[in-house]
Amino acid sequence: MSDIADRVKKIVVEHLDVEEDKVTETASFIDDLGADSLDTVELVMAFEEEFGIEIPDDAAETIQTFGDAVKFITEAS
Amino acid sequence: MFDLTGKNALITGASGGIGGEIAKALHAAGATVGLSGTRVEPLEALAAELGERAHVLPCNLSDKEAVEALPKQAAEAMGSVDILVNNAGITRDNLFMRMSDDEWDSVLNVNLTSTMKLCKGVLRGMMKARWGRIVNISSIVGATGNPGQGNYAAAKAGMVGMSKSLAYEVATRGITVNCVAPGFIATAMTDKLTDDQKDKINAQIPAARMGTPEEIAAAVLYLASNEAGYTTGTTLHVNGGMAML
């Protein structure tokens, strides 16, 4: 697993208080990991800070799963 | 009670009678205050009077870019914004039939849109801190209406609906959003009224007098406190019984 994926996973595990093995490629933050819509906003904020990137609102809406997040951040950074 | 030591508060319209008193009350409770307003002189005079823990942050709320920059400037000056008091407001009164688009737009823009933008600008820090207090200063006319103030009443009522919606969204993050709705308050503005005009106003108020800026500040202080953590989405009417809502 890439460094980016590790760091994203760490944020997700800490923020949503879920088991690490639940955070799979296709795991949806809301449907599988128990996030509410505000949690997803906070996750995006945390990603922005961790990776020093800007995630615009329309892009943030497309980040639904752990895999989406890793893909977006990999491309952006 | 109501110890705000270590909290940083941004107050708009701090150059006015009510805003200045709000700043004094929060400061007296231990908060660091960011004094915002369009007129720099009264802000600096107030900061000098308060001494330590006071920052002057001039901002013209009709300037979109200045509004967007203010939360950042406040956080840079104070370290964070834990308490936001949207007190600034303007009036451009006119009969509804004569009200121009400009009169409508400018009042909605300064009183409602800038409030929304400032709330948005401070939320990130509050969400991270899991603590925040937003107090929006509405008005009795937002609930009762007032002839000649269709624009002002719309903005002040809009503030209440906006505050309730935001209160819903951020309640789980330890952030409360409330309104204070003053009735007639004695300020420099009401000093200009004649005794006859004042008597007519007082006759409509069960308490038979105008309120003081200190009485508004006390309501804000409560809503800004740790003790008010379970009070959110509400409007505290401070009007001497003029409208019992």
Side-chain angles (χ1 to χ4, degrees), chain B residues 203-229:
Chain B
Q204 300 169 46
I205 306 170
R209 65 171 178 86
M210 288 192 196
T212 64
E214 289 84 352
E215 286 166 330
I216 302 304
V220 175
L221 173 61
Y222 163 64
L223 292 172
S225 72
N226 224 8
E227 285 80 355

Side-chain angles (χ1 to χ4, degrees), chain B residues 8-16 18-20 22-23 26 34-37 59-61 66-68 70-71 74 81-90 108-123 126 132-139 152 155-156 158-160 162-163 166 175-182 216 220-221 223-224:
Chain B
N8 299 316
L10 171 62
I11 301 118
T12 68
S15 50
I18 295 176
I22 292 169
L26 300 185
L35 309 171
S36 188
C59 178
N60 177 357
L61 293 183
V67 172
E68 279 166 9
L70 182 59
V81 178
D82 310 302
I83 299 163
L84 170 66
V85 183
N86 283 300
N87 163 73
I90 59 164
L108 268 288
N109 193 27
V110 171
N111 296 7
L112 184 59
T113 307
S114 77
T115 296
M116 173 269 181
K117 284 182 188 293
L118 293 178
C119 287
K120 206 173 163 194
V122 300
L123 276 173
M126 288 180 179
R133 298 283 181 266
I134 295 176
V135 183
N136 293 325
I137 308 300
S138 180
S139 167
Y152 187 75
K156 293 301 188 181
M159 211 178 225
V160 171
M162 186 199 76
S163 300
L166 178 55
I175 304 169
T176 69
V177 188
N178 293 288
C179 292
V180 171
I216 302 304
V220 175
L221 173 61
L223 292 172

Side-chain angles (χ1 to χ4, degrees), chain B residues 55-116:
Chain B
H55 302 265
V56 174
L57 302 162
C59 178
N60 177 357
L61 293 183
S62 59
D63 177 346
K64 189 170 166 265
E65 281 169 20
V67 172
E68 279 166 9
L70 182 59
K72 282 183 203 136
Q73 289 164 351
E76 274 167 25
M78 302 189 287
S80 65
V81 178
D82 310 302
I83 299 163
L84 170 66
V85 183
N86 283 300
N87 163 73
I90 59 164
T91 55
R92 296 279 298 276
D93 296 358
N94 208 343
L95 286 177
F96 208 93
M97 300 226 3
R98 295 217 177 94
M99 188 166 287
S100 68
D101 286 356
D102 182 53
E103 284 165 342
W104 174 268
D105 288 343
S106 60
V107 167
L108 268 288
N109 193 27
V110 171
N111 296 7
L112 184 59
T113 307
S114 77
T115 296
M116 173 269 181

Side-chain angles (χ1 to χ4, degrees), chain A residues 15 36 38-39 41-42 45 48-49 57, chain B residues 120 124-125 127-128 130 169-170 172-173:
Chain A
H15 191 86
D36 64 19
L38 200 56
D39 285 320
V41 173
E42 287 188 316
M45 276 162 45
E48 286 180 331
E49 275 172 32
D57 288 345
Chain B
K120 206 173 163 194
R124 180 183 275 246
M127 292 210 344
K128 281 184 71 178
R130 291 288 190 270
E169 291 186 20
V170 297
T172 55
R173 300 318 196 256

Side-chain angles (χ1 to χ4, degrees), chain A residues 17-28:
Chain A
D17 195 21
V18 289
E19 299 290 328
E20 205 174 316
D21 56 9
K22 292 251 172 67
V23 186
T24 59
E25 183 81 16
T26 56
S28 157

